[in-house]
Amino acid sequence: MKEVAPNWEAVIGLEVHVQLNTRSKLFSRASNKRTTTLPNQSAGLVDLAYPGTLPVLNRSALELAIRFGAAINSPIARVCSFERKNYFYPDLPKGYQISQNSQPIVGAGVFHLWLEDGRSKAVRISQVHLEEDAGKSIHDRLSNATVLDFNRAGTPLLEIVTEPDLRTPTEAVACFRQLRALVIWLDLCSGRLDEGAMRCDANVSLRTRGSKDYSTSVELKNLNSYKFLEKGLQYELERQATLLSNGNTVERETRSYNPASGRTESMRRKEKSEEYRFFPDPDLPPIPISEEFISRIRSSLPELPASMRDRFVEKYGLAPDIAYRLTLERSRAELFEATVKLCAAPHEAANWILGELTAIQKTQPSPPRKTSVSAKQLALLITRVKDGTISSNTGKELLRTLWETNLDIDEVIKTEDMSQISDSDQVELWTKTVIDENLELIPRLLKGEEKLYEFFIGSVMKKSRGKANPHLVRQSLERRMLKQCKDRSTEDD
């Protein structure tokens, strides 16, 4: 699918909202854990803007923000401040949002985006700041009214704002995906898009290809899936291209993406920065941040995905795209490395983790962040497949048995009679029997019908109840087909 018309160039910037993993809200002691689904049960008096209440900054949220800034090597402010962002919306109890504008916690930096063709793209980060979340307006609970749930009000958000350096919906999705992977890696956020733990706003415009000027941008609001981000941007680019090609102008507005119709829909006129009337929050003094405090957080960082990805390529000889997929999740990367230390088979370990193990995880109703097969189990499984004790198909079956268990692999192989049969004489006997039962198919097979070759192999495996060594089966079948060819050649002579 063509993402942008040839004569136009897309200009896309993202605002990624990350709900931080803190025990309490950003400015109150109300729980930040979703312990109930009942509306308005996790909203404190501060969050609801009761008269006489005062905000107190959550230190943990500040630490997590610095942790992210250190991870992308951006400058950390020595003094940050909070301001009031004024606008009216029913789910905003105060009539303003406490946010950061002039002195954000994390300054300008660069996020290095890995693309599928192996290239790296530098995406500039304009700033990263802390702010409180608003409540939630629910429009479909009642037929003729909107109801409000303030459980989310006051939740600490980390907002990551990029410069408009992205040029296609694919790049935008890759950026959102990799930022999500990083915040999960750093244990800042659960990353659950379906629960709203991360959301993305996209600012998108078109300009004539080759131009350096910026055009009027449209904001796509509250995109909480990769699919919606890609589809919303694609539709919006097509809509804007049609308007501009017909001599019309693009209105500065906020739009939403409607998955049912596949279209973007106008929500409201887009506010300009000055309309928010930012001014320092008089209840929150500027926050000084010491170099020692920053250094302590920086030194606590784990090895980061980009560094680990490069190391996997250099140390284990993995292809860059394989290393990238392994390092999208920290638990997956750690399982890979621990497994390789035990079985010294990096390519096999990568294939099992990215293939069968990932497939098993996708079948789980609520996939756990951490895998449920240990490195010891996986390493021994790989070893048993490599040494011919069990077949690859049996290994896949065994892996499912091992899911969320601590069973001994060799014991399971023995008790379940899973051992592969590598007795050449027995394999030859099965092969001969299958050929004798299907003699009428031999001429077609010898004429080159490849699918019949797989039929014969499958029939031998079925005859052996899946236990025959597939490699020996192929060898046996090839020998017998070669013999058939020679016999027919002799008959023709």
Side-chain angles (χ1 to χ4, degrees):
M1 181 175 64
K2 191 180 296 182
E3 294 196 328
V4 185
N7 54 320
W8 299 108
E9 181 178 60
V11 180
I12 303 170
L14 300 183
E15 298 174 13
V16 179
H17 303 265
V18 179
Q19 289 186 356
L20 296 176
N21 284 336
T22 57
R23 285 184 293 180
S24 57
K25 301 284 184 72
L26 185 56
F27 297 114
S28 79
R29 293 184 179 180
S31 174
N32 191 39
K33 304 297 181 183
R34 298 293 183 266
T35 58
T36 177
T37 57
L38 295 175
N40 299 310
Q41 299 300 300
S42 298
L45 299 182
V46 173
D47 310 315
L48 294 172
Y50 270 55
T53 58
L54 294 173
V56 177
L57 177 63
N58 186 330
R59 178 187 173 98
S60 295
L62 192 70
E63 291 179 356
L64 293 179
I66 294 172
R67 188 173 173 84
F68 180 82
I72 63 171
N73 203 29
S74 286
I76 311 299
R78 295 303 180 270
V79 177
C80 71
S81 62
F82 288 90
E83 291 153 293
R84 294 183 178 181
K85 180 180 180 180
N86 296 272
Y87 66 95
F88 173 77
Y89 210 70
D91 56 23
L92 192 68
K94 300 183 183 73
Y96 61 84
Q97 179 186 34
I98 302 179
S99 183
Q100 294 184 318
N101 184 45
S102 60
Q103 291 181 297
I105 181 65
V106 177
V110 175
F111 181 69
H112 295 282
L113 184 64
W114 191 90
L115 303 174
E116 288 189 0
D117 60 6
R119 292 182 298 114
S120 178
K121 181 183 179 75
V123 178
R124 292 171 297 161
I125 303 292
S126 62
Q127 69 175 45
V128 181
H129 60 263
L130 285 167
E131 65 183 20
E132 61 179 347
D133 206 350
K136 183 178 181 181
S137 298
I138 304 172
H139 306 291
D140 57 0
R141 183 71 60 86
L142 300 177
S143 60
N144 59 350
T146 293
V147 295
L148 302 175
D149 180 4
F150 290 103
N151 280 340
R152 201 171 67 185
T155 294
L157 293 181
L158 190 70
E159 182 169 347
I160 306 162
V161 184
T162 79
E163 295 287 356
D165 291 339
L166 304 164
R167 295 291 170 262
T168 66
T170 298
E171 285 187 0
V173 170
C175 187
F176 187 27
R177 184 189 298 274
Q178 290 172 46
L179 283 171
R180 175 178 178 269
L182 180 58
V183 299
I184 295 173
W185 191 286
L186 296 170
D187 200 25
L188 305 187
C189 174
S190 71
R192 292 294 299 268
L193 300 178
D194 57 326
E195 295 178 353
M198 285 189 70
R199 307 189 295 279
C200 177
D201 300 339
N203 294 289
V204 54
S205 64
L206 279 177
R207 64 186 179 190
T208 304
R209 191 170 294 277
S211 172
K212 299 300 180 183
D213 297 329
Y214 292 119
S215 304
T216 301
S217 66
V218 168
E219 181 184 42
L220 296 186
K221 199 74 174 173
N222 289 333
L223 300 160
N224 66 344
S225 82
Y226 305 133
K227 180 180 178 180
F228 293 170
L229 174 60
E230 183 175 30
K231 297 293 186 182
L233 285 172
Q234 183 62 45
Y235 177 84
E236 186 57 27
L237 289 170
E238 292 173 357
R239 187 187 73 86
Q240 292 187 24
T242 299
L243 285 172
L244 295 172
S245 297
N246 291 332
N248 298 314
T249 59
V250 174
E251 297 294 327
R252 178 183 169 86
E253 60 181 340
T254 296
R255 299 176 71 89
S256 64
Y257 174 68
N258 185 334
S261 65
R263 299 167 176 264
T264 64
E265 300 170 349
S266 182
M267 295 174 65
R268 59 182 179 269
R269 181 181 60 85
K270 173 64 178 171
E271 301 90 343
K272 296 181 180 179
S273 178
E274 55 268 23
E275 292 183 80
Y276 289 123
R277 305 187 316 280
F278 281 102
F279 66 87
D281 192 305
D283 297 327
L284 290 164
I287 312 296
I289 303 171
S290 70
E291 182 61 43
E292 185 276 332
F293 184 60
I294 298 170
S295 297
R296 179 169 59 81
I297 294 173
R298 197 185 300 275
S299 64
S300 71
L301 292 177
E303 184 179 10
L304 299 173
S307 171
M308 190 174 283
R309 182 174 65 241
D310 293 342
R311 186 166 60 78
F312 283 3
V313 171
E314 182 178 349
K315 183 176 180 179
Y316 300 116
L318 298 181
D321 62 318
I322 298 297
Y324 162 72
R325 290 169 61 197
L326 283 172
T327 54
L328 272 176
E329 294 180 20
R330 186 173 171 183
S331 59
R332 180 188 290 175
E334 290 173 346
L335 174 64
F336 165 77
E337 192 142 44
T339 301
V340 172
K341 287 180 180 178
L342 295 172
C343 69
H347 295 283
E348 290 85 348
N351 289 338
W352 278 95
I353 291 170
L354 295 177
E356 193 63 23
L357 192 58
T358 299
I360 293 172
Q361 286 178 306
K362 288 180 178 178
T363 65
Q364 304 305 302
S366 181
R369 281 258 309 279
K370 296 189 177 183
T371 57
S372 296
V373 173
S374 71
K376 181 179 179 181
Q377 288 174 314
L378 185 57
L380 186 55
L381 176 70
I382 292 170
T383 300
R384 291 293 173 259
V385 172
K386 287 186 69 177
D387 66 19
T389 301
I390 57 175
S391 68
S392 177
N393 285 336
T394 301
K396 293 177 181 179
E397 178 185 340
L398 182 55
L399 191 63
R400 292 182 179 275
T401 302
L402 295 174
W403 184 260
E404 292 186 344
T405 71
N406 291 313
L407 295 175
D408 180 86
I409 287 180
D410 287 334
E411 187 64 28
V412 174
I413 292 173
K414 181 179 178 181
T415 57
E416 298 293 329
D417 194 20
M418 290 181 166
S419 295
Q420 183 170 253
I421 296 175
S422 297
D423 184 324
S424 298
D425 292 338
Q426 180 61 65
V427 173
E428 286 285 349
L429 180 60
W430 282 324
T431 305
K432 181 180 182 303
T433 302
V434 168
I435 289 175
D436 290 343
E437 292 173 351
N438 298 277
L439 286 174
E440 72 281 3
L441 298 178
I442 298 301
R444 291 166 54 192
L445 178 62
L446 294 177
K447 287 181 180 179
E449 285 194 39
E450 290 294 331
K451 62 181 181 180
L452 284 178
Y453 192 73
E454 296 302 323
F455 164 77
F456 275 94
I457 290 176
S459 297
V460 175
M461 294 302 296
K462 184 177 180 181
K463 185 77 68 177
S464 69
R465 292 184 298 145
K467 292 183 179 181
N469 186 317
H471 180 64
L472 293 181
V473 172
R474 286 185 177 275
Q475 287 183 334
S476 175
L477 189 59
E478 287 169 0
R479 281 196 300 271
R480 289 189 172 275
M481 289 303 102
L482 183 61
K483 184 176 184 302
Q484 289 279 349
C485 287
K486 288 181 177 178
D487 290 345
R488 287 176 178 272
S489 177
T490 302
E491 289 173 5
D492 292 341
D493 293 340

